[in-house]
Each structure stands twice: as C-alpha cells, then as structure tokens.
Amino acid sequence: MNRKAWDQIVSASAAVIAVALIVLGGLAIYGGNFGRDNVRTRLEPQNITFPPFDAMSPEEQQAVGDFAGQQVVNGSQAEAFSRYIGGHLAAVNDGATYSETSAAARAEGLDPDTAAELQGKADTLFKGETLRSILLNAYGWWTVATIALFAGWAMVGFGILLGVFAILGFRHAKRAEAERTAAETDAGTNGRVTPSPTPTTTSV
C-alpha cells in the first residue's frame, strides 16, 4: 500500500469519527442544558430560601453558611438545603426517622397524649423527609446533566481537533501523490538515453 492510500484511509476514518463525536457531543450538550434548565424551572417556583447567615446556628453556618440568603435554584443549592433540613429533622425525635416515629406512635398500650405527640412528630418528619428526597433527586439530575454537558463539550472539541487532523491528512496525501508523480517524471527523464548523431561520410 502506497503512502497516499494509507493517508487517505487514516484521514477518512478520522473524519468519520470526528463527525460522530461532534454529533454525539452536540446531543450531550443539548441534553445537559435541558436537564439543568428542567431542574431550575422545578425549583424556582418553590421559593425555597436559605436563612440569613446570622439566623443560622454555628453548626449550620459551618455546613451551609456559604449559601446563606440564597434561593435554591440549582443542584448544589438543593443538596445543601437537604443537609440543612436533615439537621432540623434530627432534632425532631432524637434522630428517629419518620418510619420509626410513626411505628412508635401506633404502639399498643400507648396513652393518647403520647401517641398524638409522636404522630405530630411523624407528620413533621414525613414532610421534611419528602422535601429532602425531592431536593436530592433534583441534585442527582443536576449532577447527571452537568456531567453530560461537560462531556458534550469535550467530545465536540476533540471532534473538531480530529477533523482538523483529517483535513491535514488529506492535504498530506495529495502532496505525497504530487511528489511521487514528480519523482517518477524525473526518473523517466534521467533514464532516457539520448541517441548519438549518425556520423556522415564524405565521398571522394
């Protein structure tokens, strides 16, 4: 296989891969933007806002102080607010979950006042844990969408770079063919034998 054919095969393969990467990257970018926009449009109407920094406890300031006063509109903020809620839920019934508290409220032989108190705590835990699950779900989709977005840009960038290499490869193949043709022409010219002139005889 001559150099021209090899360059053309490699360049054509690179061109096909470049087109595939650009197309897939474009789809990933679209999906990433769609996912992030979808999370944002779901969170904004809920008007979930972190309390001011001064209204937070020292533990809350350390855990989520960077988000103080902000509205929850993206995945990072959603994850942080879920941790903020988690700290409050831990204090509702000494760290017990909704399932544990609800089961305790239905225990046999429990006096009505205690059962009502536990049921009230269970209702609070249920609401808090539900909101936490929604926020963590938003955080999960935001993370997946962000990964897709960055992966898409990386694929598009690599596809463009590979496309440039493919163009350079085709140009190199064309130049190699021209050089080969020129070399064959030179070899044919140098190898041609110029006939000697026929001697003439002079008659007396």
Side-chain angles (χ1 to χ4, degrees):
M1 181 182 296
N2 59 40
R3 183 59 182 270
K4 176 187 176 182
W6 173 253
D7 285 346
Q8 288 178 333
I9 292 173
V10 173
S11 299
S13 300
V16 171
I17 296 173
V19 171
L21 285 174
I22 292 173
V23 171
L24 292 175
L27 292 174
I29 291 171
Y30 173 80
N33 283 323
F34 174 81
R36 286 162 63 103
D37 290 342
N38 189 54
V39 169
R40 188 177 291 108
T41 55
R42 297 296 188 276
L43 290 174
E44 285 179 346
Q46 299 183 38
N47 291 320
I48 303 171
T49 305
F50 287 91
F53 188 82
D54 295 339
M56 295 181 179
S57 67
E59 293 78 12
E60 292 169 346
Q61 290 175 353
Q62 183 177 3
V64 297
D66 293 339
F67 300 93
Q70 298 181 16
Q71 183 182 353
V72 177
V73 295
N74 62 44
S76 299
Q77 293 168 331
E79 190 276 332
F81 202 88
S82 73
R83 286 188 281 116
Y84 174 75
I85 294 174
H88 284 264
L89 294 180
V92 171
N93 191 26
D94 297 326
T97 64
Y98 158 74
S99 178
E100 295 168 340
T101 304
S102 179
R106 297 193 303 270
E108 294 183 3
L110 202 64
D111 66 89
D113 291 339
T114 302
E117 180 183 359
L118 287 173
Q119 188 57 50
K121 291 181 178 180
D123 292 342
T124 300
L125 289 168
F126 176 78
K127 294 175 182 178
E129 290 179 5
T130 300
L131 180 56
R132 283 197 76 214
S133 67
I134 293 172
L135 292 172
L136 290 174
N137 185 60
Y139 168 67
W141 281 110
W142 180 273
T143 302
V144 171
T146 301
I147 293 172
L149 184 63
F150 286 123
W153 281 115
M155 284 190 288
V156 169
F158 188 69
I160 293 173
L161 183 62
L162 199 58
V164 171
F165 286 147
I167 293 172
L168 293 176
F170 283 121
R171 289 181 61 184
H172 184 270
K174 185 177 180 180
R175 185 171 61 250
E177 176 64 13
E179 291 175 354
R180 186 181 68 83
T181 303
E184 291 177 351
T185 302
D186 291 343
T189 302
N190 295 332
R192 186 181 301 120
V193 178
T194 303
S196 301
T198 303
T200 56
T201 57
T202 304
S203 55
V204 180

